[in-house]
Amino acid sequence: MKTLTLAEKLYGPRVNEGKQALLSILFELVKGLNLQVKVSEVSLRGWVSVQIDGQDMDVAENLVERVMGVTLGRLGAHHPSMNVKGRIVEGVEKDKGIYVDVGITEPESVDAFIPLSVLRRQLADGKNLGVEAVKELWSLQNRLPVYVHLTTVDADAMRVEAELSERQLSLFDEWVNVGLDRVLIAGTTVRRAKEALKLTHHLGDIVKIDRLGLLESSAVCKMGTDAPGIIHAVGKVLPDVSLRSFRPSKISKVLGKNDIVERCTIGLVGG
């Protein structure tokens, strides 16, 4: 039997729904293998552990790690230049950068820190924007899944620094280039989000819903549909869910269309 701590979080009132969604994903992923899978634990910080057991356990482990990712675990076992999936969290130096929980829990919990200078370089083309301005512009809400590239790992000082990875910057660039508003959802499953959109008669205003995590997703609005309008309606049905608008038009206005192209060239370093 093996236990894997996935790069997925469950939290809030919909933990059980998230577990069911996870099991559905896992069962589909390992379909045809001689294997038993179960959710074993949800940590205090929300990270989900699963147990796998059976003849095809090693094959399943590789599949799960490649498709869903696993947390880092122990700080001393990792080095700079790693790319990992984490979640944006609250931090003590809010005006100096953002923190990303990448699942480091031993010898104690340590979040990766992305300094403001890096955020300005990668997301603001060097413009003199503050942390909150960058977060608002790119809808970097708490619990949003992001892929980061570790740049500094100091086990003695218990400090980890990072930047957004090429994968994450490419995703943001894709969202901007498509030009459609998105509603970023944190705190409920895709199924529940679809139900809320249907109940508020806005499902027809959505092109698709991309799953970002077990309880996080991105609803892509149709051309001419504004994300804030969707949020106003859906927020009444899902009051305990975080809803944020990702607006390419606003990003283009603040940074300029040419700047976005330049940011793609300048910011995509480190992998």
Side-chain angles (χ1 to χ4, degrees):
M1 179 183 293
K2 292 187 177 181
T3 299
L4 304 175
T5 302
L6 306 180
E8 294 286 353
K9 279 194 173 189
L10 291 175
Y11 48 86
R14 295 186 175 84
V15 169
N16 288 333
E17 289 182 25
K19 287 181 179 179
Q20 292 304 313
L22 172 59
L23 288 174
S24 296
I25 294 169
L26 289 174
F27 289 155
E28 181 64 27
L29 183 62
V30 302
K31 185 169 59 178
L33 299 182
N34 185 349
L35 196 74
Q36 292 82 46
V37 181
K38 71 175 184 177
V39 177
S40 60
E41 182 185 13
V42 178
S43 73
L44 291 176
R45 302 198 82 186
W47 295 111
V48 186
S49 295
V50 297
Q51 288 182 344
I52 56 175
D53 192 18
Q55 183 178 342
D56 297 324
M57 184 169 55
D58 292 337
V59 175
E61 180 181 11
N62 290 332
L63 270 174
V64 172
E65 287 188 2
R66 186 173 75 247
V67 175
M68 305 199 73
V70 294
T71 60
L72 292 185
R74 176 170 288 276
L75 175 60
H78 306 286
H79 307 281
S81 298
M82 290 189 67
N83 296 308
V84 294
K85 182 181 181 180
R87 297 293 193 286
I88 295 176
V89 293
E90 289 285 356
V92 294
E93 300 176 304
K94 296 181 181 180
D95 60 335
K96 296 182 179 179
I98 64 173
Y99 290 82
V100 180
D101 183 356
V102 292
I104 296 175
T105 57
E106 298 180 16
E108 62 184 73
S109 295
V110 178
D111 297 324
F113 179 66
I114 304 180
L116 177 56
S117 59
V118 174
L119 293 174
R120 286 173 173 168
R121 170 172 61 83
Q122 293 191 302
L123 297 180
D125 194 44
K127 289 181 170 57
N128 191 32
L129 299 182
V131 173
E132 289 304 316
V134 175
K135 289 175 66 176
E136 181 182 354
L137 184 64
W138 292 92
S139 301
L140 301 177
Q141 60 179 303
N142 287 340
R143 293 173 171 162
L144 179 72
V146 289
Y147 294 92
V148 298
H149 170 76
L150 303 186
T151 57
T152 300
V153 177
D154 188 336
D156 293 331
M158 299 295 291
R159 186 170 182 84
V160 178
E161 291 194 3
E163 62 186 3
L164 295 175
S165 71
E166 179 177 346
R167 178 174 180 174
Q168 187 64 49
L169 290 172
S170 294
L171 181 63
F172 280 159
D173 283 324
E174 177 186 332
W175 290 2
V176 171
N177 291 333
V178 168
L180 299 176
D181 276 16
R182 291 172 179 260
V183 178
L184 301 186
I185 306 165
T188 195
T189 60
V190 169
R191 182 179 68 83
R192 184 71 69 179
K194 286 182 178 178
E195 290 176 355
L197 286 164
K198 185 176 181 179
L199 186 63
T200 56
H201 307 289
H202 281 294
L203 188 58
D205 296 320
I206 301 299
V207 177
K208 62 176 180 175
I209 302 179
D210 295 328
R211 189 181 73 85
L212 304 178
L214 294 175
L215 295 179
E216 302 88 20
S217 56
S218 168
V220 185
C221 300
K222 287 185 176 179
M223 184 69 71
T225 299
D226 295 329
I230 301 291
I231 291 173
H232 178 73
V234 174
K236 297 177 182 178
V237 180
L238 298 173
D240 55 348
V241 172
S242 176
L243 304 170
R244 295 289 186 274
S245 58
F246 183 95
R247 312 203 71 185
S249 59
K250 181 178 179 181
I251 294 170
S252 297
K253 182 178 180 180
V254 173
L255 299 184
K257 292 183 179 180
N258 291 333
D259 289 346
I260 293 173
V261 175
E262 291 171 6
R263 185 189 63 76
C264 183
T265 304
I266 296 171
L268 299 184
V269 279

